[in-house]
Amino acid sequence: MRAISYVIPANEYRRERWKNGQGWTREIVRYPDGADWNWRLSIAEIEQDAAFSSFPGVERELLLLRGNGLRLRFDDGEDVVLLPPHQRHRFAGERGLTGELIDGVTHDFNLMWRRDAVEAELLHRPLVGPMLFFAEPGVRWAIHLLAGQAHFDQACGLPPLWAGDTALLVSGEGDGRKRFVLEGGGEILAIRLQDRRSTGDG
């Protein structure tokens, strides 16, 4: 990923097969780019009941974006149902599970991060006025606009966000702490991603 902040339009997400070949996903971004990523954002397109891919060492959080619901049936016996609007569940990537559609196709926001490298937090918030985000070395934000329209303050130099777009907010080398102001109306997912080495946890 570039060491500058930027916006990824929804029409530029990369559509690819799941690791196990049983579904499709639209990848938003991975960091670093390549097979050995530390974190990854994508939108899973679930068109039929299917086993999920296994991701050892990875934490996952899945949030229902569109559709009438998804049941996560874990091999250890746990059942979790994600219903509209935007229910979500966090789980370990090693756990075997099958996704079962409740009533038709779903699209699901998928946050994954390697637990030994990154700490991640996903926030679902209404956007009803200015919101402040601070990036600094080792801490970056990903802002996904669920609905509505939004724009950053002029000093950020970033284009507007339209529904479905994602912004990556980073502090460049030598910039220290950087402030971003987001304004508009709608709903966002705000994902805080912090390198574990910057927390003193390893």
Side-chain angles (χ1 to χ4, degrees):
M1 190 173 70
R2 292 166 281 180
I4 58 172
S5 302
Y6 61 102
V7 168
I8 310 167
N11 62 6
E12 293 184 9
Y13 299 163
R14 297 178 293 190
R15 194 166 187 259
E16 57 186 40
R17 296 294 290 177
W18 290 3
K19 189 170 74 167
N20 67 8
Q22 295 196 38
W24 288 93
T25 194
R26 287 184 293 141
E27 184 178 83
I28 300 172
V29 63
R30 65 173 68 188
Y31 178 80
D33 195 14
D36 295 327
W37 45 264
N38 287 337
W39 57 268
R40 180 175 181 254
L41 305 178
S42 62
I43 297 172
E45 302 172 358
I46 304 179
E47 300 173 333
Q48 61 186 2
D49 296 354
F52 277 35
S53 302
S54 176
F55 287 92
V58 170
E59 289 292 310
R60 302 184 63 171
E61 190 157 353
L62 200 69
L63 178 143
L64 183 70
L65 285 179
R66 291 207 300 272
N68 294 319
L70 177 69
R71 173 176 283 106
L72 304 178
R73 195 180 294 279
F74 290 89
D75 293 355
D76 60 16
E78 182 184 15
D79 272 10
V80 177
V81 176
L82 305 182
L83 295 173
H86 309 314
Q87 284 193 338
R88 55 180 165 155
H89 187 61
R90 174 174 169 166
F91 56 95
E94 300 90 349
R95 295 178 68 191
L97 78 149
T98 297
E100 298 180 355
L101 297 172
I102 291 176
D103 181 18
V105 172
T106 68
H107 290 189
D108 305 271
F109 190 88
N110 185 30
L111 163 64
M112 295 193 286
W113 67 98
R114 297 196 188 281
R115 64 178 68 98
D116 64 348
V118 176
E119 293 181 359
E121 181 180 16
L122 187 152
L123 306 170
H124 176 206
R125 295 287 186 267
L127 180 61
V128 293
M131 295 185 73
L132 290 176
F133 299 93
F134 294 93
E136 56 192 289
V139 178
R140 53 182 64 83
W141 287 88
I143 310 298
H144 180 79
L145 187 63
L146 284 174
Q149 297 179 15
H151 63 274
F152 291 93
D153 64 312
Q154 192 171 4
C156 296
L158 293 171
L161 285 177
W162 302 94
D165 293 349
T166 303
L168 275 295
L169 309 181
V170 303
S171 175
E173 195 169 329
D175 287 346
R177 198 168 188 240
K178 195 167 181 180
R179 176 179 177 268
F180 298 85
V181 181
L182 181 67
E183 298 187 64
E187 291 180 82
I188 65 168
L189 298 179
I191 301 102
R192 186 178 187 273
L193 299 146
Q194 180 166 358
D195 297 342
R196 288 192 67 87
R197 65 176 178 273
S198 67
T199 69
D201 294 339

